[in-house]
Structures are given as structure tokens and as C-alpha cells.
Amino acid sequence: YSQTDGGEKIIEGSIRDVTLRIEREKAEREKEAALASSQAKSEFLANMSHEIRTPLNAVMGLTDLLGRTDLSEFQQQYLRKITISSKSLLAVINDILDFSKIEAGRLELEQAPFSLYDLMANVSEMFAFKADEKGLEFLLSIDENASAAVIGDSVRLGQILINLVGNAIKFTPKGEIVV
């Protein structure tokens, strides 16, 4: 602001539109907050999955030991249900842990020999009772030309099959499920 000799007041200034700069700064702050939130979530999931998995493995181990003792038929049935439920819970926990690893870019697939028949038998054990409860026929089929011994990631393949079969049972009102 200045004054001329004639006593008039003159105001001088400049105008600059900073809208784009403010929007960029806001977008950058939001991006940083989202990345920090995602990182915190991934770390939380990984920690919680580990903390839950440890006692669950103890439950599964003790269940296995109990299964080696003399039990009545009813106790054996209850023990089988505990085993199946424990395996299902472990699969969910593994899915959560894998999800956090995928988000962090740290998931690596294993390359180890395993029995396709054992893997399918495990899936059958986990879901046969649940399918029967819903009145569904549950069938597993392995092509006769397929090798029984394969190399790959049996844990991830098992997780995929467990998810697929679990959803198939959940969303199939009647009939059969064939894997």
C-alpha cells in the first residue's frame, strides 16, 4: 500500500493461484498416510497371525497326542472334529499371513516334493463331515495319469483347495461337489 502526492491511496499486490500446489500437497499427504496405514495393517496381521498360530499348533499337537490314547468312539468323534476345526482355523490364519506377505511383496512359493494323494485325502478329511451334514455328496478325483509325487507348494495348493471346497459347500444347496 502506498500513497500518491495527491493523497490517493494505492494498493499494489500480486495474485497467484496456488490451488494446484495445495491439491498436490494434500494428495501427497493422503498417499503417505495410506502407505503408513497399509504398512501398519500388514505388520499387525503378521504379528497377530504368528501369535495365534503358536497356541493353535500346541492345540493341534496335544490333540494328536490325545488321539494316540485309548478313547471311546464318542471321544474319537469329538477329537476328529477338533482336528478338522483346528486345521480349518490354521488355514484361515495362514491365509491372513499370506495376504500380509503379498501386500508387503514377500510371498515366496515353495518348491518341495509332496504327495498329491495325501493332500487330497487331507482336504477330504476336513470337509467330508461338513458336506454330509448339508446332505451333499463330496467326491475327490485324481486323473489316473497324474503323478502321485509332485513338486510344488503343498501348503498354498492346500489353501486354494480348502477355500474352493469351503465355498462350494457353503454355496451349494443340494447335489454334489466334485474336486
Side-chain angles (χ1 to χ4, degrees), residues 72-101:
S72 71
E73 182 60 34
F74 285 116
Q75 290 171 323
Q76 289 175 2
Q77 286 178 8
Y78 291 146
L79 200 57
R80 279 193 291 276
K81 290 177 184 177
I82 290 170
T83 300
I84 290 168
S85 296
S86 298
K87 287 179 181 179
S88 295
L89 183 56
L90 183 60
V92 169
I93 293 167
N94 285 335
D95 286 346
I96 292 169
L97 185 57
D98 284 349
F99 181 72
S100 65
K101 284 182 180 177

Side-chain angles (χ1 to χ4, degrees), residues 27-82:
E28 186 63 31
R29 283 191 307 272
E30 289 174 352
K31 179 183 172 186
E32 288 172 7
L35 288 172
S37 174
S38 178
Q39 179 67 26
K41 181 184 72 173
S42 293
E43 288 176 15
F44 173 78
L45 288 174
N47 289 335
M48 287 307 299
S49 296
H50 176 73
E51 294 301 320
I52 294 170
R53 202 184 323 188
T54 300
L56 180 58
N57 281 329
V59 168
M60 293 173 76
L62 292 169
T63 301
D64 182 55
L65 291 174
L66 184 61
R68 298 173 194 214
T69 64
D70 291 332
L71 300 171
S72 71
E73 182 60 34
F74 285 116
Q75 290 171 323
Q76 289 175 2
Q77 286 178 8
Y78 291 146
L79 200 57
R80 279 193 291 276
K81 290 177 184 177
I82 290 170

Side-chain angles (χ1 to χ4, degrees), residues 110-172:
E110 186 177 312
Q111 293 294 316
F114 69 94
S115 167
L116 191 58
Y117 291 103
D118 289 347
L119 179 70
M120 295 293 269
N122 188 29
V123 171
S124 176
E125 265 181 39
M126 290 179 75
F127 291 103
F129 181 75
K130 195 178 283 188
D132 188 56
E133 276 184 332
K134 279 191 73 176
L136 300 171
E137 188 173 355
F138 179 50
L139 305 168
L140 293 173
S141 174
I142 299 175
D143 186 289
E144 62 186 38
N145 296 321
S147 176
V150 295
I151 295 176
D153 195 327
S154 64
V155 172
R156 299 303 181 286
L157 180 57
Q159 286 174 306
I160 291 166
L161 291 172
I162 287 166
N163 288 335
L164 289 172
V165 173
N167 284 336
I169 290 172
K170 186 186 302 182
F171 297 111
T172 304

